[in-house]
Structures are given as C-alpha cells and as structure tokens.
Amino acid sequence: MAFNFNWSPLTADAEFYKRAQEMLTTALNKSPKPPIIVDDILVNELNLGTTPPELEILEIGDLAEDRFRGIFKMCYSGDAFLTLKTRVQANPLNTYLFSKPSFTSPMPLAASSGLTIPLQITLSEIKLSAFIILVFSRQKGLTLVFRNDPLESLKVSSTFDSIPFVRDYLQKEIEMQLRTLMMDELPAIIHRLSLRLWCPEYGPKEEEEAVNIENKEKEEVAVDPFSSPPQDAVDARGNVLDANEITSLSLDGGSEIHSLFSQKNLLRLGALNDSHRTLSLFTPSIRDAVFRAWAGPTERGDSVGTSTPVTPSLLRSHSYTPSSSTTYTFSRNSDDGHGHMPSRPSLVSMHSATTGLSLGSGRHSRSHLRKKKNRVVNLRKSTTTDDSASESGQSEASAAVVSEPAFPTQVEEEPEDNIITPPRSPSGKVRFRTSSIDLGDSPRKSRISTPIRSALSSKPMPEEAVLEPAPVIGNMEPTAPIFSREHRPSMVSANPVSEKKPASASVSQPAKHNPFLAPAPVLTEPSPGGIIEQAWVMKMAGEIARRNHDEKAARGGFWASQDTREDSPPPAYEPKAL
Amino acid sequence: MDYVQNAFYDASNWNLENSYSQLTATARALLEFETPRGFGLSVSSLSSPNFATSYAIGSVGLVDGSLSYLYSSLPLRPASQSANIELEDVIRGYRQIQELRKHKHSWEWEQWHAGKRIDKRDTLLYGRLYLPQSTLEALYLRRLTPTQQFKLSAVSDGRLRNGGTILALHQYDVGKYCAESLYSTDGGLVGIRGLYNFGPDPRKGITEPPRTEDRFYGRFSAGAEVYYGSLNKSGGVSFGGRFATLPAHNGTPLTATLTLNPLMGNISTTYAVKAGRNLALCSKFDFNVYSYESDLMLGCELWRMKAKAEKIRVRSMAAKLEWRLDEIEKKPISEPEQVLGVLKARVDQNWKIGLLWEGKVKELLFTLGSSIDMKRTDQPFRAIGLELQYSS
C-alpha cells in the first residue's frame, strides 16, 4: 500500500488559506486570553510553506471501509509561518489589577489607565514532532490525538523584539498558548469537522449556516453548462482544445462518465427512481460508496455517453427530464492513454438525460485504467460535490428550483446510507433525488461514495468551481491522470457564468460556499482528480488514504503548518462564483 | 454592609471623601455603576449596635451566596430597618463634598479613669465567605488616632497565587491634606498617594465666612499617586485635580476633575453637574496621547420623588361649629420628600448602555439593571439583573 500526499495544492489554494485563517482565528479566541491581550487575535497571514511534513506510519490497528485506527509519527520543520495581529495592554498596573480580587485592590485612581498597543507577532521556523493517534469511524467521526507535546520549537518575532523582556515573555506565552491549542483545541475541532462531514444527524446544525450560504448562492443564476460549449476548454495536458475536439471529448467523456458508475448502483438508482413512479415499497439500499472496482465490464456496454436516451431509467430524468442535462464526466485515465483523448473533460452536456448505460461504458475503460494507476489519496470528494453541483445545475435548469446549497446535504446523505428513500414527494425531495440520482448517473457518484465525506463537507459547490481548477491541475501533474479538470472546463464553457470564473476564480470559488470543507473537495478534484480516481479504484487504499487526507486536511485547516496532505487543496477550488 | 461601614466612618468622624482615591467618586457613581446580573437577594440585620450580619444569595447560571459578619467596637445606630432607610444614604449618586471638618485633637479621645487610660481604639472587623467558591474576605479597620486610620484587607482564595492577598493601607488625614501609604503582598506593590486641599485650613478654624456672593464658591484639590511593584518591577503614576462647589455655593453644584497618567499618556476629564434638584448629569472624556484612543461616556441620574397628594382642604369641624373659616395656615414647612427611586443611565461611544433603577418597595430595597449593547442588534441585552435587599 502506498499513500500519496499532495502538499503543494494546499499551498496553491488561496481559498484554503482564507478558511484556515478563519478557523485559526476562532480557535485562538476561544480559550480565555491572558489579561494583557485586550483584543481578538486575528490571523493576519498564513503560509504553509513548501516543505511538507514527514509522516511515518507506525501502526495501523484497525482497518476497514468505515473504520481506521493508526499511529503516525510526524515531523515537521518547514518554512511555514503565521502572522497574528492583536492589541496588548501596555500598562502593567492595569493587567496586574485585572485578575485580582477587588476587595484587596489598592484602587488606583488613574495610574491603571490603559494604553493599548497594536502588536504583530510572526511565528516561524516551527518545528513539530509528534506521535499522532488517529481513530476514524463513520459513526463517531474522526478523532486525532497527539500523544506527546507536538511543539518542539518555534521562533516568535514581534513588534517588540528590541525589548528583550517583552520578547521573552511573548515567546513563553505563545508557546504555551500554542501547546494548549494543539493538544486540546485541535482534536476537538477536527472531531467537529469530521462529524459534520460524515454524520448526517450532525447536519441540521449546519443547516442554518447552509441557509445563509444558500441565500448567497441563490443569487447566482443557474446556468445550464451545456447550453454553451466551454470557451476555454483544455485537455488534460493543458492544451487548448478546439471546438471539434471538445465535442469529441464530450462524447468520450460521456462514455467515461458511464464507466464511473457501477452497474449495481445504476440499477439501484434506477429502481429507486422507478419505485417513485410505481409506488413500489422496495427501496434499494445503496451502500455508502460505490467503488469503481465494482463496476463490471458489462457496464461499459453503454453507448457513448453523449446523450443516450437510455439513461433515463436511472436518471432523474423521470422527474425532471431536463431538456438539456449536463453530465460531467471526469476521466481519470489520462495515464491509460485511453482512446478517449482527454477523457477527463468528461463534462458532457446531454440534451436528453444521460443514460446510465453510457456512463457504465465510461467506467469500463476507466476502471481498467484506474487499476493501473497508483493509488493516490485524494480528497476528491470534492468531485462528488462538483457532480452534484453540476447536477443541481441541471436540475435547476429544468426545475430551476434547487439551490446549490441543497446539494451538500444531499451529497452527505447519499454516500452514507442508502440513497434517500424513493417515496418522497417530488417537490420537497426533488432536490435530494436529483442529487442522488445525478450522482448515480454520473461518474461522480462513484466518487461520491468514496470521497463522499469530503464532498459532504463541501456543501454547495457551484458548478463554476468545477471548471476552474482543471486546467491548472492538469499541467501540474503530468503523470497523474487528471482529467477531471477538463470536465470542469467543459462545464465552464457551458455555463456562461462559470466560464468567466474559471479563469480568474478557479481558486476562490469553493470558499464561499462552504467555508469549511465543502470547497475543498471540489478543488481537489481538479488537480488531483486523476489521482482521486485511482484512489477509488483501490477501495481499501483509497479509503485509507482519504481518511488520512481528511485528517490532514482537517489539520491543515487548522494548523497550516501541519498539513501534510493535499486534502486541503480542495479548498483552493472553492467556488469563486460567489 | 457598605452602609454599616459608612456608619462606622461617620460615627468615628472619619472623612471618607478626603482621599485621593475618592477624587472621582462622583463620576464613578454616575458613570461606572455596576449593573446587577441575574437575580440576587440579600437579607441583613443589625442585631445589636455592635454586630451585623448579612446573607446573600444570587443566581447567575448557578446559585451562589455569601455570609458576612461585621463587628464594630463603636456602637452604630443607623436606621437599619429597610423600610426606614433613606435611599439617599444607600445609593451613591452625585456626591456633594462637604466642608472640611476639624479633627479632634488626640487628647480629646483620652479617657482617664483612676489614673489609667481606659479609652480604646475604635475597631471594625468584617468577614465574608463566598460559599461555592470558598473565598474568604476579611477586613480589619482601626482608628489609631483622630487623624489616622489603618486598614487591613485580605482575600483568601485557592485560585489565587499564594492562596490569597493582603493589602495594608495606612491613612493620615488632617483635613488640609491627606496622605496614604499602602502595601500589597501581591507583587509586593508599594503605593503612596496624597491629596492637598487648597483654601482655608480647617485646623485653624474658619477664618472667613463663606463668600456666597462669589460666582463659584468651591474647593480645589490636587493629588498624586505612585505605585511600584517591587516583585514585577512595574509601576504607575498619576496626577489629578478636582474643583467642586461646596454646599454654600448658591449656583448649580458642579464637580470637574482632571487626571493625568504621564507614563501611559492618558488624560481623563470628567464634568458632573447637578442640573436640578432631581437630576445630575455627568460626562467623561478619555484621551491617550500615545495611541490617540479616545473614549466618551455620558451618564445621568434622575431621582424620582414621591409626589405628595395635596391634602384637600376641608373646613374643620371646630371651625364650622364656631362659624368661622379655618385660619389660613402658613405655608407648611416642606417635609423632606421621600425618594421613590433613582434611575441611572449611561451610554458610551460604543453604544453600550447601562440602566439602573434603584428604589424601595414596601420593606424591600431593589435594584433593577440592564446593560445593553446596541451594536449587537441580534442580542442587545447583555445582562439583566434584579437584586433585592431586606434588612431589619
């Protein structure tokens, strides 16, 4: 087994930093501050640097699809730095009185009047060395514990460096704060994040937040990506595609897309959809994840994706029958050298609903390819989100009702437990279904299943998000099969709105939707997309890797320095659309 | 308990206000009053002239309470029934500084009996135990001579460093000036502060009658304080001045203060005026010359008096019998109005508002307060509290 951790995407993602800064700010202000600090601590600047931490797997105690327990050894001595801003009380008498009982206070008249001074602190040369115990279970979320004090040393430089007394004091105080942060706060935050990702029950709490996001998102106009071809389509290697190529790609992509879905799931989804129509009480259970490996070759029989009418069975099409539906296919197999050129550009807009079959076909090729690929742990879940997003977009186009925000929740549900029960009333549930269905239809689904968590985290991913990342990523990782991006591009082109964004906003998009996790997944996909696919192929490996990623990602969110993984990259993709 | 302590100061002829730490007492009373949090109830009793007890219970989230006992060697006879207590004595509002009093000579305290001195120094002992927290407060107050007082206060709390702190304060007040020195075990803090009153010296007796024709008849006082923490090598300095009109002034009573902290570059000015019989206004402006931070605070105090229902004049039976009218009474001497309550309000530049209503309902003294933050529109009420006091 091998794990592949991407460090650089993290650092390349502006949105990730933004979110990480927000999270750090909240974390730092949570614990009671010493009286000398009179204002909130703001994280002004954060850079993870270019040196990744070294991660060593010491022990894996438990390993299953929904469980993982292991011990890691982590060493970090990189060039990450962190700049904090706050205001301090310069009057020693003021701070002296602060914590003293008023009964014995000398009650100075004005000698204790305060003088607050803005202070800027830069933490650099952070050296960490820790044993990390990581326990993951789908029900209980992710628990990460430092077995020892992870902080080895760090350098504190501040506005008051010229005054040795103050400098020493700051150094001491900050080390102390940092230790408590890492030992106490960090595990709690990671746990919370993981719960958010994996536990649907946890979702409602966030629902409110999501609503806010939704409101913003609603403002965005749902655009049918397919309506217009991607303007700046790029193939996996970053070459610009001309219109013809694009069309061809789309076809190929379509097939690939199919490949992404496992037949079983497709069938189940189909059954699910049918049940809605037939009033059948049987609800097919769809396991949390669909692994590509499961996909049988038979599936590929599917016709080329583009717009085979066949799909409809699976597709939500029943309900929506979108005039023009978009399917995003991400072909990962760049490696394979598949017949599909840039299979990745999977995003295909199908006027009629895509056929499940077509998708299946896609898988075939991919699945084969995938196996070949190295496993890369990917945070991709984002891809799922993308898909959902795209789907949503479609649905929206047809129904125009669904708001993106809904997706995230949907995504969560799908992955975990069986897909939502069919019986729902069309109106209320439509969203979910669509999402679920879409997922099933589209390759994403498979992704979703595995990467779901990440996807979950990223609630509403705008379609745009998808678009952006692709080009860059492709360039970056030549070896990896990274087609996902292409898909996005296609999508981008499809959506007028999205088109604009991709170029400029590739990074930013995800951020707005889900400050927390959501964006990440999407982002990840594009760059690491190829990798992700591979990961899926290897269920076990993939799963583990993801967990690791997640953990790391979570960590990264927190603590920029610590992140090893690329998971964080997903954030980079955050949707700029907002 | 503060009420009883003040009674002790009164009984022992100590002028509490003649101290540098009380220079801005008026502004503090009008601007920095504490708004109660949660619900509180205290029951006090002055069971004998020398002994007082008080029990308090409060709930801010969880229930806590305190027990306090006070012993005074000097018999205290303040009105202790809460129904009889004058609100003016309990509520700290605009403080009208009084003419300086002349202290007795120390020989006036001496009592001789059978060739021995039998007079004792007046002493106050006070202890308070906070129950869930297990915090103990203790106070020892002793009048050494008519011009000197020694105060020792201590807090014992396991959460404090070294388990507690002790503050020793020695005050020397001769009226014309007042000097205090203090020492705190916490950080080894040493402090000196002094206040000098310009104007006639009370020790020499009042040489001139109050010049009531002056536009302002008042007193100017100036003072300074110095602190040095011997353990943590830190210190603080401030200077202050105050001008306040005296009771004999027949214009609007006002108090203005200026304090400076040269080390921290802080300048603070307050201006309080008693605009009417029932209204006092106060403003405070802070400015820091180093950081250019400024702060503005406004406050007011409104006393609500009990409106006396005018007696309906009815011819008395005696007058009717005698076929005459009642004599026209001379304008009745206006009885001292009873205070119904006091409304205090303050607002600062951040739109933080504090409201306090203190009053008396039957036998109970109550304090109802709230602090409001208008900047947080979603949840403007930061704290609401009600405190009830009963004493017998």
Side-chain angles (χ1 to χ4, degrees), chain A residues 148-450:
Chain A
N148 58 342
D149 185 358
L151 188 62
E152 224 165 48
S153 73
L154 89 163
K155 183 186 170 192
V156 178
S157 47
S158 72
T159 323
F160 299 125
D161 266 1
S162 51
I163 310 169
F165 168 75
V166 179
R167 192 188 54 207
D168 294 346
Y169 174 79
L170 282 175
Q171 174 94 30
K172 209 174 64 189
E173 280 288 326
I174 287 171
E175 280 189 18
M176 225 161 61
Q177 285 276 320
L178 216 54
R179 288 206 162 92
T180 50
L181 175 81
M182 308 250 295
M183 299 287 283
D184 303 338
E185 295 288 320
L186 192 57
I189 293 175
I190 291 178
H191 184 69
R192 229 176 296 127
L193 282 178
S194 66
L195 282 181
R196 212 174 263 156
L197 286 178
W198 290 300
C199 296
E201 314 88 56
Y202 205 77
K205 293 182 184 173
E206 300 189 355
E207 214 105 283
E208 294 182 3
E209 300 174 85
V211 171
N212 296 334
I213 297 169
E214 269 186 305
N215 293 338
K216 291 180 187 173
E217 291 182 351
K218 282 181 180 173
E219 296 172 5
E220 302 175 8
V221 180
V223 180
D224 181 353
F226 301 98
S227 59
S228 64
Q231 293 186 347
D232 36 319
V234 178
D235 73 8
R237 291 174 183 87
N239 303 321
V240 178
L241 302 176
D242 64 24
N244 294 335
E245 289 183 54
I246 292 172
T247 54
S248 66
L249 289 176
S250 65
L251 293 175
D252 293 342
S255 64
E256 290 185 355
I257 295 170
H258 302 291
S259 67
L260 291 178
F261 299 102
S262 77
Q263 186 116 24
K264 287 181 193 172
N265 282 317
L266 288 178
L267 292 175
R268 281 186 182 154
L269 286 173
L272 198 58
N273 281 335
D274 288 343
S275 70
H276 161 71
R277 282 187 275 171
T278 61
L279 300 178
S280 154
L281 293 178
F282 167 71
T283 305
S285 67
I286 298 177
R287 296 302 301 278
D288 13 336
V290 178
F291 300 100
R292 294 188 178 177
W294 292 0
T298 53
E299 295 178 1
R300 4 297 86 46
D302 32 356
S303 54
V304 177
T306 38
S307 31
T308 49
V310 186
T311 24
S313 62
L314 297 176
L315 296 181
R316 22 81 185 252
S317 56
H318 336 293
S319 52
Y320 323 92
T321 59
S323 60
S324 62
S325 63
T326 24
T327 316
Y328 309 98
T329 19
F330 302 74
S331 54
R332 293 109 194 232
N333 35 351
S334 53
D335 298 351
D336 301 32
H338 212 339
H340 320 287
M341 312 253 335
S343 49
R344 298 349 178 30
S346 47
L347 304 177
V348 177
S349 59
M350 330 215 15
H351 300 294
S352 61
T354 27
T355 322
L357 295 176
S358 63
L359 296 174
S361 65
R363 292 179 187 173
H364 271 313
S365 59
R366 289 201 176 177
S367 62
H368 300 296
L369 298 176
R370 291 173 188 171
K371 292 175 181 177
K372 298 172 184 178
K373 297 174 184 180
N374 310 327
R375 312 124 203 191
V376 178
V377 178
N378 206 340
L379 301 180
R380 296 323 186 43
K381 309 153 182 189
S382 56
T383 54
T384 57
T385 55
D386 294 353
D387 297 13
S388 62
S390 64
E391 294 173 355
S392 62
Q394 299 174 355
S395 63
E396 289 179 3
S398 59
V401 176
V402 179
S403 60
E404 293 184 3
F407 297 107
T409 53
Q410 300 173 357
V411 175
E412 294 180 357
E413 294 179 1
E414 296 175 358
E416 295 272 11
D417 316 18
N418 316 340
I419 296 174
I420 300 163
T421 58
R424 307 169 178 179
S425 67
S427 63
K429 309 199 170 173
V430 171
R431 293 181 182 177
F432 292 88
R433 273 198 182 177
T434 55
S435 62
S436 65
I437 295 170
D438 294 348
L439 297 173
D441 297 349
S442 62
R444 278 67 184 291
K445 232 203 164 171
S446 59
R447 294 178 186 173
I448 295 168
S449 60
T450 52

Side-chain angles (χ1 to χ4, degrees), chain B residues 64-276:
Chain B
D64 57 359
S66 67
L67 309 172
S68 47
Y69 297 93
L70 182 144
Y71 165 78
S72 162
S73 65
L74 194 67
L76 307 174
R77 302 183 198 282
S80 64
Q81 312 277 338
S82 55
N84 302 331
I85 290 178
E86 291 295 332
L87 276 177
E88 292 96 326
D89 299 334
V90 185
I91 298 169
R92 308 178 136 208
Y94 182 90
R95 295 256 196 115
Q96 176 67 64
I97 63 166
Q98 304 294 326
E99 291 282 358
L100 295 173
R101 281 170 297 189
K102 188 182 174 191
H103 283 285
K104 289 180 181 172
H105 294 286
S106 58
W107 52 261
E108 292 178 55
W109 272 17
E110 294 174 8
Q111 293 175 20
W112 296 85
H113 179 73
K116 284 182 184 174
R117 266 187 83 166
I118 55 159
D119 56 308
K120 292 197 178 132
R121 300 285 173 263
D122 297 329
T123 304
L124 181 88
L125 289 171
Y126 166 75
R128 182 169 190 176
L129 176 67
Y130 292 89
L131 263 184
Q133 301 99 323
S134 300
T135 302
L136 182 69
E137 287 177 355
L139 174 74
Y140 173 77
L141 188 69
R142 188 170 174 85
R143 292 295 307 274
L144 301 174
T145 70
T147 57
Q148 289 180 62
Q149 175 175 275
F150 180 73
K151 185 174 162 186
L152 192 70
S153 49
V155 171
S156 170
D157 188 336
R159 287 164 298 178
L160 294 173
R161 211 187 313 169
N162 301 329
T165 62
I166 299 175
L167 175 78
L169 174 70
H170 175 260
Q171 294 172 298
Y172 178 68
D173 177 14
V174 294
K176 179 74 174 170
Y177 63 88
C178 166
E180 296 167 79
S181 57
L182 60 89
Y183 174 80
S184 168
T185 58
D186 192 3
L189 188 83
V190 178
I192 297 173
R193 54 192 177 204
L195 182 74
Y196 183 82
N197 295 308
F198 295 91
D201 189 338
R203 285 173 295 182
K204 293 171 186 162
I206 297 172
T207 54
E208 46 186 330
R211 297 165 304 169
T212 48
E213 73 281 3
D214 273 10
R215 263 190 86 201
F216 288 109
Y217 175 66
R219 186 164 71 220
F220 182 72
S221 312
E225 62 183 349
V226 178
Y227 297 96
Y228 179 71
S230 56
L231 294 187
N232 50 19
K233 308 269 186 299
S234 60
V237 176
S238 80
F239 303 102
R242 172 185 67 188
F243 177 80
T245 56
L246 290 172
H249 174 63
N250 48 16
T252 308
L254 61 85
T255 304
T257 65
L258 169 71
T259 55
L260 296 172
N261 185 333
L263 285 183
M264 295 300 147
N266 194 278
I267 300 173
S268 171
T269 62
T270 69
Y271 182 76
V273 68
K274 200 153 169 50

Side-chain angles (χ1 to χ4, degrees), chain A residues 486-500:
Chain A
E486 294 179 0
H487 313 293
R488 281 112 193 236
S490 65
M491 301 210 32
V492 173
S493 61
N495 300 350
V497 177
S498 59
E499 294 177 358
K500 303 170 184 177

Side-chain angles (χ1 to χ4, degrees), chain B residues 11-50:
Chain B
S12 63
N13 257 322
W14 181 258
N15 184 2
L16 191 64
E17 291 176 4
N18 196 24
S19 157
Y20 181 71
S21 62
Q22 299 296 319
L23 196 71
T24 59
T26 290
R28 277 213 303 269
L30 288 177
L31 294 177
E32 291 163 26
F33 54 85
E34 263 189 36
T35 55
R37 296 176 61 87
F39 178 78
L41 174 67
S42 70
V43 178
S44 319
S45 114
L46 188 65
S47 45
S48 81
N50 293 331

Side-chain angles (χ1 to χ4, degrees), chain A residues 511-523:
Chain A
K512 52 159 138 177
H513 299 285
N514 300 344
F516 306 129
L517 306 174
V522 176
L523 298 173

